[in-house]
Amino acid sequence: MYQSCEKYLNNEDLVQFLNVTREKHSRYFDFESIGKSSLGEDIYLVTLTDKEYKHHSEKPAFWIDANIHASEVAGTQGVVFFIERLLDESHPNTSQHKELMKKMTYYLIPRFSPDGARAFFKESNSFRSTPLEMSYDYSNFKRQDLDGDGDITLMRWKDKAGPFKELAGHPGILVPRDASDFPLDSHVYYQVVPEGTWTNFDGFKKAKNYDVGYDFNRQSPSFFAPEGIQKGAGTLPLEFPETRAVANAIRARKNIFASNSYHTYGGFIIKTPANVPEASVPLEDRMRSEMIGELLQKNTGYTVHSGGDDFVYVPGQPLPGTFDEWYYLHLGIMGMTVEYWDVWKQAGMSWKKAVEKYETLSAENMVKLVIWAKENLKRDEYFKEWTSYDHPQLGKVEIGGFKTAFFLTNPPVKYLAKEIENVFEGSFAVSRMAPLVEVESILVQPVEGDVTKVSVVVKNTGYFPTYGSAQALKVKIVNKPLCKTSLSAKSGELKILSAPTPESIHHLKGFSDSNPRVSPFFGTGFSHEYEQQLSWIIQGHGEFTFEINYYKGGVVRQTVTV
């Protein structure tokens, strides 16, 4: 079994895995620090490719980032699984994986926020992205692991005005109070907040508002909304070293055509962009986005949602400052988010609206969840029995409730392998949509005397175009293909008499240009923009080398004897 399937990796485990993997697979695997976190930890980027066949920057590339939110560590496991699977010598598809790494590069960020992950493994459910103290106080409540058991669960106390009650027939399990629950003396209701204390407590007011700190996935420049509008966003886009390091790393790698961002939870695939009308997204990009969603859904069973309408917490208000949207709108990279793990589906529930899974839970659905948990997990794996605790400010309270870290937010270890393998298959399928330029043919023809004509046909055999997306062209983030030539004379003078002009060398469409108008009965709307013929007239004898950089489509290079 892979290490990624056996246990969740903390920061030390992850670094050890990276070092051991580099020792064992140095031909295919390397990693580097792209910067330091706010608290001084390295942020690592993995490069996965066959180093003996072109430099990683000369191949089309697929990007995955994970664990931007402290508690969402299943994403890290998914990245580690991705590495383990592609480097697994015993896997039936190992020859295909190796062939693919000759032609492609994978850039992987296993842990976007190492500070957040470290805090999570110490005190689960403590922070959104980072343990940094916020400059803004929305309430004077601070989460703390009061009983020192390593989990920040809940604390409750009886209150006739409380919004929670125990589920009938299931002692200890809390559900929302019905609107018709009149406060009779025989009924017991509760106030419930996470474990914690209030600073400057006045002995009476117990408000708890936003208390989980900064959210790095509200930090991108795409429709950034500052703190006063979007809680957790901070003051400026990319103001934290983590967000700036990742932004610099992806911007520097011009060969990336598409990306997946790994989050938890809910079993969702979220399409981007969210903050622009779908009708304004170029049709060819919408078609490719639909195909990416279909491939991910086919392999994971997750549901596909638009970040602009059906995956919003407040109708009409898409989330600002998300990285996958920035990847697309500013960098032209076809980004999509994958939210691992749907415990609700495991328990046989269904929903009309995606974000309902993050909101309230009816008594009927809670019964389904509890029954599933009882049948599949040990009680102490998902629930902490309510235990009396002398709170320094409130007096007698009870601490307990669901242990959400590896039940709700991340899959329990026994479910981890299947979950991350399914997502791997989806992401791996998406990565194989890459553009790929190859030299189709080279024709050397004598013209007159020592003059020769070299005709080259280059072809994009992949799904994506070599420019990646229409958005990339629109924002001018992708350059025109760049052609370089060199000569090595055998004897005498060797020179180029004529060559293609830079303007005549263009990007190449992929076979997606024919979709969805592909019929096995009537063929396709045919365009000949997937290949191009280029010619040089050369005088003399020796070796002529041409190199064309299609960026997201890779580099082709070949030497011809004339």
Side-chain angles (χ1 to χ4, degrees):
M1 181 179 285
Y2 297 159
Q3 188 174 346
S4 56
C5 303
E6 294 177 334
K7 72 165 191 171
Y8 282 92
L9 307 184
N10 62 25
N11 290 5
E12 286 72 28
D13 295 330
L14 178 61
V15 172
Q16 182 181 28
F17 168 80
L18 297 177
N19 282 316
V20 169
T21 304
R22 181 160 60 185
E23 290 176 10
K24 290 183 177 179
H25 302 281
S26 59
R27 174 174 171 175
Y28 299 98
F29 176 93
D30 208 348
F31 72 97
E32 63 189 289
S33 173
I34 57 171
K36 295 285 188 180
S37 69
S38 300
L39 300 180
E41 300 219 27
D42 285 301
I43 304 160
Y44 292 112
L45 181 144
V46 168
T47 300
L48 201 58
T49 195
D50 187 341
K51 300 176 190 176
E52 296 184 8
Y53 185 83
K54 293 185 183 177
H55 189 264
H56 64 81
S57 64
E58 296 181 340
K59 309 174 192 180
F62 186 69
W63 170 282
I64 300 176
D65 59 62
N67 206 179
I68 192 172
H69 293 139
S71 64
E72 298 174 8
V73 291
T76 296
Q77 305 300 121
V79 170
V80 171
F81 184 95
F82 202 102
I83 295 165
E84 291 181 301
R85 173 55 57 85
L86 285 191
L87 298 179
D88 182 358
E89 298 276 356
S90 63
H91 193 270
N93 294 332
T94 184
S95 60
Q96 296 175 25
H97 296 164
K98 287 183 177 180
E99 182 181 358
L100 191 70
M101 287 188 285
K102 285 182 178 180
K103 299 180 178 182
M104 274 197 66
T105 295
Y106 293 92
Y107 297 121
L108 313 170
I109 302 281
R111 182 150 283 159
F112 196 121
S113 179
D115 294 345
R118 183 174 294 282
F120 169 76
F121 281 110
K122 180 181 178 183
E123 292 183 342
S124 62
N125 306 322
S126 47
F127 302 99
R128 183 61 167 155
S129 285
T130 174
L132 283 180
E133 286 288 328
M134 290 191 77
S135 302
Y136 315 89
D137 284 328
Y138 294 105
S139 73
N140 59 340
F141 181 81
K142 301 295 179 185
R143 296 184 184 218
Q144 292 174 266
D145 179 16
L146 295 176
D147 59 3
D149 68 348
D151 283 310
I152 295 178
T153 51
L154 300 174
M155 58 184 190
R156 71 180 188 178
W157 61 94
K158 295 177 182 179
D159 186 334
K160 282 189 175 182
F164 290 93
K165 64 181 180 180
E166 288 198 344
L167 179 63
H170 299 273
I173 304 297
L174 297 175
V175 291
R177 181 176 173 179
D178 294 334
S180 60
D181 277 337
F182 191 80
L184 301 174
D185 290 342
S186 59
H187 294 172
V188 177
Y189 303 107
Y190 295 93
Q191 296 289 353
V192 181
V193 297
E195 286 182 69
T197 58
W198 287 264
T199 56
N200 303 316
F201 184 56
D202 63 3
F204 177 73
K205 191 173 182 181
K206 300 180 284 294
K208 187 206 82 70
N209 296 308
Y210 186 86
D211 66 312
V212 291
Y214 291 112
D215 185 341
F216 289 165
N217 204 34
R218 304 294 180 268
Q219 260 273 295
S220 92
S222 179
F223 289 89
F224 175 79
E227 193 68 36
I229 300 171
Q230 172 60 56
K231 291 178 181 178
T235 306
L236 296 168
L238 307 180
E239 71 175 286
F240 298 100
E242 295 90 341
T243 54
R244 179 60 62 90
V246 172
N248 287 340
I250 196 169
R251 275 182 54 86
R253 289 158 175 80
K254 306 296 186 183
N255 52 332
I256 299 169
F257 76 95
S259 70
N260 281 171
S261 295
Y262 288 171
H263 290 246
T264 69
Y265 57 97
F268 302 131
I269 298 155
I270 307 172
K271 297 188 297 181
T272 194
N275 285 281
V276 298
E278 186 174 341
S280 69
V281 177
L283 176 60
E284 63 174 283
D285 290 357
R286 293 209 307 269
M287 287 166 47
R288 293 184 196 108
S289 178
E290 291 293 332
M291 184 57 68
I292 291 171
E294 285 181 23
L295 286 173
L296 288 168
Q297 184 176 40
K298 176 183 176 182
N299 286 279
T300 62
Y302 297 166
T303 52
V304 181
H305 303 270
S306 166
D309 47 46
D310 63 337
F311 197 90
V312 292
Y313 297 100
V314 179
Q317 295 183 26
L319 297 175
T322 61
F323 270 82
D324 59 349
E325 183 174 78
W326 178 64
Y327 294 163
Y328 174 70
L329 290 180
H330 291 207
L331 306 181
I333 294 169
M334 298 294 293
M336 200 163 289
T337 287
V338 179
E339 299 270 359
Y340 282 85
W341 184 235
D342 186 357
V343 71
W344 315 125
K345 183 178 179 181
Q346 297 283 338
M349 304 181 210
S350 60
W351 306 88
K352 293 180 181 179
K353 187 174 121 180
V355 294
E356 287 179 5
K357 295 182 181 181
Y358 300 152
E359 296 170 350
T360 189
L361 194 68
S362 67
E364 293 77 15
N365 277 336
M366 182 61 84
V367 169
K368 293 179 182 179
L369 181 64
V370 171
I371 290 173
W372 177 85
K374 283 182 177 179
E375 292 176 349
N376 294 278
L377 300 170
K378 296 177 181 178
R379 176 85 168 177
D380 62 2
E381 289 179 322
Y382 68 91
F383 196 83
K384 175 181 171 65
E385 303 300 340
W386 294 101
T387 304
S388 179
Y389 181 81
D390 290 321
H391 192 277
Q393 297 163 329
L394 303 180
K396 288 288 185 184
V397 300
E398 291 179 291
I399 290 178
F402 282 105
K403 298 165 71 172
T404 58
F406 300 105
F407 167 62
L408 181 71
T409 308
N410 300 282
V413 171
K414 66 185 288 186
Y415 291 90
L416 185 57
K418 182 179 179 182
E419 202 75 16
I420 59 181
E421 182 169 20
N422 288 346
V423 173
F424 163 80
E425 294 294 351
S427 292
F428 188 49
V430 173
S431 78
R432 301 196 304 274
M433 300 169 74
L436 181 65
V437 179
E438 297 179 340
V439 176
E440 173 72 6
S441 64
I442 299 175
L443 180 62
V444 180
Q445 298 171 292
V447 177
E448 184 178 354
D450 63 349
V451 177
T452 304
K453 180 180 181 180
V454 178
S455 298
V456 176
V457 174
V458 287
K459 176 184 291 187
N460 177 12
T461 60
Y463 181 84
F464 265 70
T466 59
Y467 52 83
S469 67
Q471 182 71 10
L473 295 176
K474 179 180 177 180
V475 298
K476 302 185 185 303
I477 195 70
V478 63
N479 297 326
K480 287 179 65 67
L482 177 63
C483 181
K484 297 178 181 179
T485 58
S486 61
L487 299 169
S488 177
K490 191 173 184 180
S491 61
E493 187 179 12
L494 183 64
K495 61 182 178 180
I496 297 174
L497 300 181
S498 71
T501 63
E503 294 75 21
S504 69
I505 304 174
H506 56 72
H507 278 289
L508 304 174
K509 297 279 191 177
F511 69 86
S512 64
D513 193 45
S514 299
N515 288 0
R517 299 172 299 277
V518 177
S519 167
F521 306 105
F522 304 109
T524 179
F526 186 76
S527 140
H528 203 197
E529 297 180 69
Y530 63 87
E531 63 180 353
Q532 183 176 25
Q533 186 178 62
L534 305 169
S535 298
W536 290 265
I537 303 295
I538 301 171
Q539 184 176 40
H541 298 287
E543 291 185 335
F544 161 66
T545 299
F546 65 89
E547 173 187 300
I548 310 173
N549 188 350
Y550 287 92
Y551 301 97
K552 297 176 188 292
V555 173
V556 290
R557 182 187 298 109
Q558 205 143 329
T559 298
V560 182
T561 300
V562 295

